[in-house]
Amino acid sequence: MTGTTHRAEQHDDVQFVTIHGKKRAFVKKGEGPVLLLLHGLACDHTTWTPVIDRLAEKYTVVAPDLLGHGLSDKPRADYTLGGYANGMRDLLTVLGIDKVTVVGHSFGGGVAMQFAYQFPERTQRVMLVATGGLGPDVTPLIKLIQVPGWFRVMGALTLPGLRHLETFALRTAHEYGGVGPLRPVTRDLGEIADIVESWKDRRTRFAIRHLVRAVIDWRGQIVTMADRAYLSEAMPMAVVWGQDDRVIPVRHASNAAALAPDVRVEVLADAGHFPHKDHPGEFARILDEFVSTTEPASYSRARFRRLLKAGASAEAPSPAPVVRVTTPA
């Protein structure tokens, strides 16, 4: 059973840079080809803590706190996918980094796809981890965030005392429900406890509410990259999912063929919505294998123009991706 380390204990290596008057937090480690690791909704860079040091042995790892999350500023700002993609371009530019393999988890997967679409000349590869944007389904708990009144209700639920009781219950269920038939249900509760803890900050709740309203409505996810996926046909792409994901269903992995004809799909057994935390060694191996065995995308403006003019081909259906189910040791 993997334990959950509280986020407050994991900020030793954080650096800060101010861009457009807004403070942005990030971790940068290692040397070599650059991996840009993008966390999911209501998380921060610490979601990657189990894999950062492993990956930094061979790569330069950049793991930011997206605006409105973690130790980055939480202003009244643009919390759309396009806005986040622009922010990542600006951060990389300040850091002197031109090209990256971008790895996005959950909502961060949507940012990764948007980054690749907006800045193909700076994207070498894309790995999507339990990503949004491949189908409408999402847990009802996330849908509730865009409901009127959520902000105030959550403000009350995260008052001292009540919040401590809630997070204690969630972490206890995570620790003691980590074996047996309850494991798929309780696996991610430690991470949820951290999210509840972060919502004591009204600025964080404000940012999360605006972010969710930009990508989700009462029927589910409203943002998809499927209509522009043909533009990434020459870009190596991989998808990793946990078989027991209760936040975004693993069946969305089968939709990955709409993104790229040669996409690699890996499903990790005994893993939930955070496969990189459930099996960090296996995840790092899969990512390293993906980078090591694929050539980085080479951007051609002429080819990009031709693809835009031609649009998506309706002549041949997308092939079903080869889905490999891996049982980590």
Side-chain angles (χ1 to χ4, degrees):
M1 178 177 66
T2 57
T4 298
T5 303
H6 299 180
R7 294 177 187 171
E9 301 170 358
Q10 301 179 348
H11 296 310
D12 294 342
D13 301 308
V14 177
Q15 303 178 55
F16 296 92
V17 64
T18 299
I19 303 175
H20 309 310
K22 301 175 181 66
K23 183 180 69 175
R24 297 176 183 271
F26 66 96
V27 167
K28 181 173 180 285
K29 282 190 173 184
E31 295 182 358
V34 182
L35 305 176
L36 176 63
L37 307 184
L38 303 178
H39 63 76
L41 175 72
C43 297
D44 58 32
H45 74 274
T46 61
T47 192
W48 302 109
T49 297
V51 299
I52 285 178
D53 287 342
R54 300 169 192 260
L55 296 172
E57 294 176 3
K58 187 174 179 181
Y59 301 97
T60 298
V61 179
V62 178
D65 285 351
L66 296 174
L67 205 66
H69 295 74
L71 299 178
S72 289
D73 278 347
K74 303 166 181 66
R76 186 177 181 85
D78 181 2
Y79 290 113
T80 63
L81 290 175
Y84 278 117
N86 289 338
M88 292 303 96
R89 174 205 57 192
D90 295 345
L91 174 63
L92 293 173
T93 300
V94 168
L95 296 179
I97 296 171
D98 292 326
K99 297 179 183 291
V100 298
T101 292
V102 58
V103 182
H105 171 245
S106 197
F107 173 77
V111 178
M113 286 187 275
Q114 186 71 26
F115 183 89
Y117 168 63
Q118 290 181 204
F119 310 112
E121 73 282 2
R122 304 188 70 164
T123 310
Q124 297 179 317
R125 305 169 190 82
V126 175
M127 174 177 277
L128 307 172
V129 185
T131 185
L134 296 186
D137 306 288
V138 68
T139 175
L141 295 177
I142 294 180
K143 293 182 186 179
L144 287 175
I145 295 174
Q146 49 86 37
V147 172
W150 175 87
F151 186 91
R152 290 188 177 182
V153 170
M154 192 52 61
L157 291 176
T158 53
L159 289 173
L162 184 57
R163 181 182 75 250
H164 297 152
L165 180 62
E166 293 163 356
T167 55
F168 174 78
L170 288 167
R171 289 178 177 129
T172 300
H174 165 76
E175 291 295 332
Y176 293 99
V179 294
L182 290 179
R183 183 173 173 82
V185 179
T186 62
R187 183 194 315 275
D188 296 331
L189 293 184
E191 188 72 25
I192 293 174
D194 286 342
I195 291 172
V196 171
E197 183 70 30
S198 74
W199 283 347
K200 66 185 178 184
D201 182 351
R202 68 182 312 275
R203 299 169 305 160
T204 299
R205 298 199 306 273
F206 171 87
I208 296 303
R209 182 183 63 180
H210 281 266
L211 185 162
V212 169
R213 286 179 173 178
V215 296
I216 290 174
D217 64 14
W218 64 272
R219 291 188 295 180
Q221 298 183 62
I222 58 177
V223 175
T224 178
M225 290 296 292
D227 59 340
R228 288 162 281 175
Y230 65 93
L231 296 173
S232 62
E233 66 175 24
M235 186 173 296
M237 188 170 292
V239 173
V240 178
W241 225 290
Q243 195 170 44
D244 299 328
D245 195 334
R246 298 302 177 98
V247 177
I248 303 176
V250 66
R251 65 176 178 274
H252 284 194
S254 299
N255 299 334
L259 294 174
D262 298 319
V263 64
R264 305 180 181 196
V265 180
E266 297 266 0
V267 174
L268 294 185
D270 192 30
H273 189 57
F274 300 84
H276 52 290
K277 299 186 75 171
D278 293 330
H279 302 292
E282 185 65 16
F283 178 86
R285 184 197 65 78
I286 291 171
L287 177 51
D288 177 50
E289 180 184 81
F290 171 55
V291 174
S292 300
T293 60
T294 55
E295 292 295 323
S298 177
Y299 174 69
S300 165
R301 181 177 296 179
R303 181 176 61 193
F304 201 74
R305 184 186 303 115
R306 288 196 301 271
L307 288 170
L308 280 170
K309 286 183 175 180
S313 173
E315 297 178 0
S318 298
V322 177
V323 179
R324 184 166 65 179
V325 179
T326 302
T327 303

